[in-house]
Amino acid sequence: MPRASGQKGAAQVARVLDGLADGFLAVDGQGKIVFMNQAARVLLAAGADPAGRTLAAAGLAIPELAEMLELAAAGGKEPVRLEVFLPQPEGWLEVTAYPSGEGLAAIIRAGGERQPPEERLKTAFNANPHAMALLTWPEARFAEVNGAWLASLGFAKDEVLGKTGVELGLWDEAARDEMRRLLLEEGCVRERDVAVRTKSGDTLTALLSVVFIDLGGRKHLVATSLDISERRRAEEQAREQLGLLEDCSEADADATTMIVDEAGDIVRVFGDKGLLPGNPEGENLRAALPPPVAADLLAMLAAVLSEGAARTTEFRAAVGEAPKAVRVTAAPMTRRYRGRRTVSFRVRDITAEKAAEEKSALAERAYGRSTFFNSLVTGGHPAEYVADVLEGYGVDTGADYVCLALTVAREEPRSPAAWPSGETTAATAASTGEIFAWLARREPGWLWQTNGCIAALVPADKAGSTKEEQTEYAARLAGRVEAAFAFTRVAVGVAATSGEGAPLDLEALYGRAAEALLLCDRQEGRGAVHYADTGLYQVAFQLLRDRNIQRIVRDMIGALAAYDRKRGSNLLATLEAILEEENLRMVAARLFIHHNTAIWRKKRIEKLLGLSLDSFETRAMVSLYLKVWRLLSRV
């Protein structure tokens, strides 16, 4: 009874599949047809029901389905959609094959009218804008050429077909044999420069590529060529012109080079940087340049030809809308042009160089100022002396100021992609001295170097009158330095005068900025911290000056640090959390530990410190000691 029921169910499935508009084909792992519905028999022209026979035996040797069977046998599970061209009946089919066990099931639909593969190849061949030719192998006779090939070489198609390149005079036997050798050894030819003669007898340079292709069961060659004659001629002309530069004393990529003959005629101009009016090639210096400049250059020309030695001069000239500083170096050349002796004139824009020299002078003055300002911030000088020195440098000691203390450090790039873009001073982190010189040329106020950092005294009307404005000013300054110098990390401490008109106390003001700078380490050594935002650290700064307090802190907090290093524990972080959170449950949540673990750590800390952390006074004292400990590690 179950067997009869199964047969009845299979018959119902077969009827449903036979009623489908799309073809359905099921093939087992041996390539035998399990089932083919009526639509599939029509699409594949299979005739009678081919069930039980292999695809080949049924006259359905479709390579694509054979490949799908191999994928299914290898464990493939993904469906594959492919297009199949059948010569009988001629047409395209869309086949979607679904691997099933070691066999497959396929849905087959009519794919509409399309060109067969060889027709599609012929269409692409004829439409290609590059010259293409189809040749027999091994005779190398032309079987087909496209319109671009005929246009480039000047032949008619009936003059070409059936003949070889040697017979047409395109190349000689030696060139043919070399091409055949390359094809036999390497299997193809890729972008090779070859000389080809046209029907008119001209020779052109072509970039040739040749590959094998199978058509109608026979090997052929497909050759594609691109006429690069103009490109090669332009390259040769460029080489001839560059030959005039061989005798120049030194190359300068930033300069405009003129080759001038002994009559003052400009023969060639290389690397025009906009320093010459228009295109002066072929003109005389007198006609091409302003009279004063032309007179100077003609005098240099005569002197160089007479003495046989180079000469250099500098002058300012109106170029475009702004005057530029220009350096001209004239040197004799051994190469003659049309029988005349020649001289190379290298014209270089040194406007930026001169501006840099002026800024360097400013930086030199800033270095000299550092000695005096360092002596002022170390203390021990009478107030009258300090005021006199500051006023000598133009500092109004009755005005309000902001003091900045900057440190710079190297920051390693994570990868080549992390290298900064844009203009940078160097490919590696710059030194503090380089950054000091850079700031001295750009920042308002007074700068000096002290204790490994850079200090700046900036008028409040430049840096801002509020704490927020001053911090923002310092952060922008740090950002500009980091943008200008590669791999540099900048931290800034900020302090300001009271704003109540009290005389400027530079020592105290710098001291507060330096103390604020210590706290930048808590922000990964970058950014800006204002002294007004240091909170209890202001008390810790005072305690830090007491050697007895330092000893107590090292003994007490150092015991926890030593315990952490030895045991790999985290008692210091736990102590900080206990001091900042309201209860141990909040400590546990902050540190992602169990509440009982927090209780155990608190007891261990109390035992190592010899103190109870339950009283407010003890917690306040330990909090200050912990801050002093943090500062000791940064001093």
Side-chain angles (χ1 to χ4, degrees), residues 130-180:
H130 296 311
M132 293 188 71
L134 180 69
L135 302 93
T136 62
W137 177 260
E139 302 89 351
R141 294 188 178 278
F142 288 96
E144 186 62 74
V145 291
N146 68 357
W149 191 96
L150 295 171
S152 65
L153 296 177
F155 286 94
K157 183 178 287 191
D158 56 4
E159 296 176 310
V160 175
L161 298 185
K163 296 181 180 178
T164 67
V166 174
E167 292 170 347
L168 291 171
L170 302 179
W171 45 73
D172 57 25
E173 293 182 356
R176 178 201 61 192
D177 294 342
E178 173 64 12
M179 196 64 59
R180 180 170 293 170

Side-chain angles (χ1 to χ4, degrees), residues 199-324:
K199 182 180 179 180
S200 63
D202 297 329
T203 299
L204 58 83
T205 302
L207 198 63
L208 180 66
S209 297
V210 185
V211 296
F212 283 104
I213 188 173
D214 185 72
L215 289 176
R218 182 179 174 183
K219 271 189 176 182
H220 287 71
L221 300 175
V222 174
T224 305
S225 61
L226 175 65
D227 184 357
I228 57 171
S229 303
E230 289 299 325
R231 184 197 307 176
R232 293 292 183 258
R233 275 193 289 270
E235 291 171 355
E236 182 60 29
Q237 290 175 359
R239 280 192 291 272
E240 290 176 356
Q241 291 182 355
L242 289 174
L244 289 170
L245 290 175
E246 290 178 357
D247 298 329
C248 292
S249 55
E250 66 175 320
D252 189 347
D254 296 327
T256 297
T257 300
M258 291 191 302
I259 308 299
V260 181
D261 67 17
E262 58 186 315
D265 293 334
I266 301 172
V267 177
R268 291 284 187 275
V269 176
F270 298 95
D272 187 6
K273 304 298 180 183
L275 300 176
L276 301 175
N279 180 13
E281 283 190 7
E283 296 185 29
N284 191 275
L285 288 174
R286 294 181 182 86
L289 302 175
V293 176
D296 288 345
L297 295 188
L298 286 169
M300 289 182 71
L301 175 68
V304 168
L305 291 174
S306 173
E307 300 168 4
R311 285 199 169 200
T312 299
T313 187
E314 295 179 1
F315 54 84
R316 286 191 173 271
V319 179
E321 298 181 357
K324 291 184 179 292

Side-chain angles (χ1 to χ4, degrees), residues 11-24 35-41:
Q12 289 177 340
V13 170
R15 283 196 299 275
V16 171
L17 294 175
D18 264 329
L20 293 177
D22 295 330
F24 179 83
F35 179 80
M36 179 186 294
N37 70 355
Q38 181 62 32
R41 288 197 292 274

Side-chain angles (χ1 to χ4, degrees), residues 543 556 579 611 616-626:
L543 295 176
M556 180 181 292
L579 296 174
L611 298 170
F616 173 79
E617 290 79 4
T618 302
R619 290 161 68 93
M621 179 191 69
V622 173
S623 177
L624 281 173
Y625 284 176
L626 187 58

